[in-house]
């Protein structure tokens, strides 16, 4: 069964600093991988998606993630944090197909300090 | 704005009662799924509906049931509520073929006392 582990339930960075949120996955077949963001009192919004077309995936709001099969990782990065990036970030995996489910990690709460 | 709306936004029930949560999906999105998000946790898959038929289910008991209607609306019903059912319930829709690209509503927060 597929699973996702997010290292660090809380990450704090200064405005303008690099953001790095870690995600490792477990899957017996090539997975589809996702990062979603949840702002306070809102639903989740898709940031980016990996579907084997390219290992470096660019998403919205300047975020990107790199798929590394050898490390079973899909870490999320942003070169320069902005105050508006403060939110909770979830990594998710699915095997795809018509009847799939997303398996989410427990989330990482990002705080951006002025 | 995802185009997915849920109601009610908040509700309080007592143990043993039944609850119905509603969702209106984006027009054209014929797949809807429901997730339960407990406090401090990631969302957990409850089930998925495609063209009004359940075609995927997570590790939830039968007292969690659903319906999908032709007008892109759906319902989540929970019978015999337990304290552990207290959570944010999220509805998500997607278009056919867009694996994993879900559009989430803002959720219904259920408190069971």
């Amino acid at each position: 069964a597929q699973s996702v582990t997010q290292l660090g339930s809380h990450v704090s960075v200064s405005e303008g600093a690099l953001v790095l949120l870690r995600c490792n996955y477990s899957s017996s077949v090539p997975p589809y991988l996702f990062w979603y963001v949840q702002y306070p009192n809102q639903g989740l919004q898709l940031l980016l998606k990996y579907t084997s077309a390219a290992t470096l995936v660019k998403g919205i709001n300047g975020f990107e993630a790199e798929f590394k099969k050898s490390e079973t990782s899909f870490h999320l990065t942003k070169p320069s944090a902005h105050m508006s990036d403060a939110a909770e970030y979830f990594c998710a995996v699915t095997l795809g197909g018509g009847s799939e489910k997303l398996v989410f990690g427990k989330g990482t709460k990002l705080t951006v300090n002025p | 704005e995802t185009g997915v709306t849920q109601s009610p936004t908040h509700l309080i029930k007592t143990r043993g009662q039944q609850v119905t949560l509603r969702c209106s999906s984006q027009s054209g999105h014929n797949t809807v799924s429901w997730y339960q998000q407990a406090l401090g946790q990631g969302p957990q898959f409850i089930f998925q509906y495609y063209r009004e038929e359940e075609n995927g289910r997570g590790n939830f008991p039968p007292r969690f049931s659903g319906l999908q209607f032709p007008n892109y609306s759906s319902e989540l019903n929970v019978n015999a509520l337990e304290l552990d059912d207290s959570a944010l319930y999220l509805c998500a829709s997607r278009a056919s073929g867009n694996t994993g690209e879900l559009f989430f509503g803002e959720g219904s927060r259920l408190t069971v006392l």
Side-chain angles (χ1 to χ4, degrees):
Chain A
Q2 61 271 51
S3 65
V4 164
T5 301
Q6 290 186 242
L7 298 175
S9 58
H10 289 83
V11 170
S12 182
V13 301
S14 298
E15 193 173 19
L18 171 72
V19 175
L20 170 61
L21 304 182
R22 299 177 187 273
C23 171
N24 288 87
Y25 70 91
S26 172
S27 176
S28 56
V29 297
Y32 290 72
L33 292 160
F34 308 84
W35 277 97
Y36 277 83
V37 60
Q38 187 176 33
Y39 297 101
N41 301 314
Q42 292 189 26
L44 281 76
Q45 179 184 3
L46 179 65
L47 270 180
L48 48 80
K49 167 183 176 181
Y50 167 77
T51 58
S52 79
T55 56
L56 184 62
V57 182
K58 294 188 184 299
I60 62 172
N61 302 336
F63 284 93
E64 62 182 36
E66 187 173 6
F67 173 72
K68 292 188 177 180
K69 184 178 178 181
S70 60
E71 298 176 9
T72 60
S73 69
F74 190 57
H75 301 331
L76 182 71
T77 60
K78 181 174 181 178
S80 177
H82 192 272
M83 296 294 289
S84 62
D85 295 328
E88 188 145 25
Y89 293 79
F90 294 92
C91 183
V93 64
T94 181
L95 293 182
S99 176
E100 83 280 6
K101 67 179 183 181
L102 281 181
V103 177
F104 285 89
K106 292 188 175 181
T108 298
K109 186 172 183 179
L110 176 67
T111 301
V112 182
N113 302 305
Chain B
E1 182 61 48
T2 65
V4 178
T5 57
Q6 293 186 241
S7 63
T9 54
H10 295 82
L11 70 165
I12 300 174
K13 292 284 189 178
T14 56
R15 202 168 43 178
Q17 285 189 310
Q18 178 266 345
V19 68
T20 297
L21 308 178
R22 294 181 172 83
C23 173
S24 178
S25 304
Q26 274 201 25
S27 178
H29 284 192
N30 52 19
T31 301
V32 66
S33 50
W34 287 86
Y35 287 79
Q36 180 196 66
Q37 186 178 17
L39 204 59
Q41 302 293 318
Q44 282 200 296
F45 177 77
I46 302 174
F47 45 55
Q48 175 179 286
Y49 279 78
Y50 173 68
R51 293 185 175 177
E52 303 163 48
E53 301 252 347
E54 184 183 303
N55 73 343
R57 190 175 185 93
N59 189 25
F60 281 81
R63 60 189 184 85
F64 285 78
S65 63
L67 287 170
Q68 184 187 25
F69 304 101
N71 65 350
Y72 303 111
S73 67
S74 60
E75 291 180 355
L76 164 65
N77 299 288
V78 187
N79 294 322
L81 285 168
E82 301 177 358
L83 297 180
D84 283 349
D85 296 333
S86 295
L88 180 69
Y89 288 86
L90 296 163
C91 168
S93 71
R94 69 174 176 88
S96 294
N98 292 348
T99 299
E101 294 184 35
L102 302 181
F103 290 82
F104 282 86
E106 294 190 355
S108 294
R109 185 164 296 282
L110 170 66
T111 302
V112 182
L113 302 177

